[in-house]
Amino acid sequence: MPCYAIEDVIPVVHPSAYVHPSAVLIGDVVVGPGCYVGPCASLRGDFGRIVLHEGANVQDSCVMHGFPGHDTVVESNGHIGHGAVLHSCIVRRDAMVGMNAVVMDDAEIGERSIVAACAFVPAGMIVPPRTLVAGMPAKVRRELQVEEIAWKLEGTRTYQDLTRRCLQSLREVAPLSEPERHRPPLRAPAVEPLIALRRKGSPDRC
């Protein structure tokens, strides 16, 4: 992976974590046990510290950065969707930031909360635990249902499983010219999108 020291501060990656070879880590970055960092993610610890606690995932094309003296932290089981931007903020344990959302300086996403896709969480906003926030700027919409919290945890466990799968088998290869006759299926665990809850008769979701 592209991994750079700055002023002799070297990124730290736990042996049980997986960081994709195209992700970039710079300076004061700490990636904890069982974490997943996806393709083209940028974790820039050249001003403030970047920290991923155990079991967190930061998916494709995410950006984590912060001001000097301000940490940017994703706590245990934090789940950061594709293309999200985190800047000098804290995502508490078991919380989720949806795809292409932005979380600004000194904001705090409470435990087991969900930031909807494409939301803009303004600087200094404190999101209460177990709530859904959405919009530009983001506003608290409602308390999360038990099944939504369970769905989020299932998705995070799927990424923790992906970490193990990548450590065991992901490798760079040349592409085939056509599919094999008996192309093997992936052994990924089953997980449904959140909209499946609505289709099963639950009230409106994020």
Side-chain angles (χ1 to χ4, degrees):
M1 81 195 79
C3 190
Y4 303 92
I6 183 168
E7 297 169 349
D8 295 325
V9 179
I10 301 172
V12 176
V13 178
H14 192 275
S16 65
Y18 176 78
V19 179
H20 189 273
S22 65
V24 179
L25 275 55
I26 299 173
D28 196 359
V29 176
V30 180
V31 178
C35 290
Y36 174 88
V37 178
C40 300
S42 175
L43 280 63
R44 280 183 51 207
D46 47 14
F47 289 166
R49 178 173 292 175
I50 308 297
V51 182
L52 303 184
H53 291 189
E54 183 173 4
N57 69 78
V58 175
Q59 298 169 21
D60 322 48
S61 302
C62 289
V63 175
M64 293 184 67
H65 191 241
F67 284 115
H70 292 251
D71 294 350
T72 305
V73 180
V74 180
E75 292 188 345
S76 298
N77 292 338
H79 190 106
I80 312 302
H82 316 289
V85 177
L86 307 181
H87 201 274
S88 294
C89 60
I90 297 178
V91 178
R92 295 296 184 192
R93 62 183 302 116
D94 292 313
M96 175 178 172
V97 176
M99 294 181 278
N100 289 315
V102 176
V103 184
M104 289 297 294
D105 310 300
D106 295 328
E108 181 177 318
I109 309 304
E111 291 188 10
R112 298 185 176 183
S113 290
I114 293 178
V115 176
C118 297
F120 178 82
V121 178
M125 182 176 184
I126 306 298
V127 175
R130 300 173 64 96
T131 58
L132 167 67
V133 297
M136 300 179 67
K139 296 181 180 179
V140 173
R141 302 298 179 174
R142 58 175 172 79
E143 186 174 344
L144 288 171
Q145 304 294 321
V146 172
E147 61 267 31
E148 292 172 309
I149 294 171
W151 169 85
K152 181 272 166 194
L153 182 57
E154 181 184 10
T156 301
R157 287 173 175 161
T158 300
Y159 267 89
Q160 291 166 352
D161 181 72
L162 179 60
T163 297
R164 294 185 286 269
R165 292 169 61 209
C166 289
L167 288 171
Q168 292 168 2
S169 67
L170 192 140
R171 58 194 174 94
E172 187 171 2
V173 296
L176 302 174
S177 57
E178 58 183 44
E180 310 95 309
R181 184 177 179 84
H182 300 290
R183 189 170 176 84
L186 291 169
R187 295 189 293 274
V191 62
E192 293 184 304
L194 189 55
I195 194 171
L197 293 177
R198 184 183 303 168
R199 290 171 177 160
K200 291 176 180 177
S202 297
D204 287 345
R205 302 299 181 218
C206 56

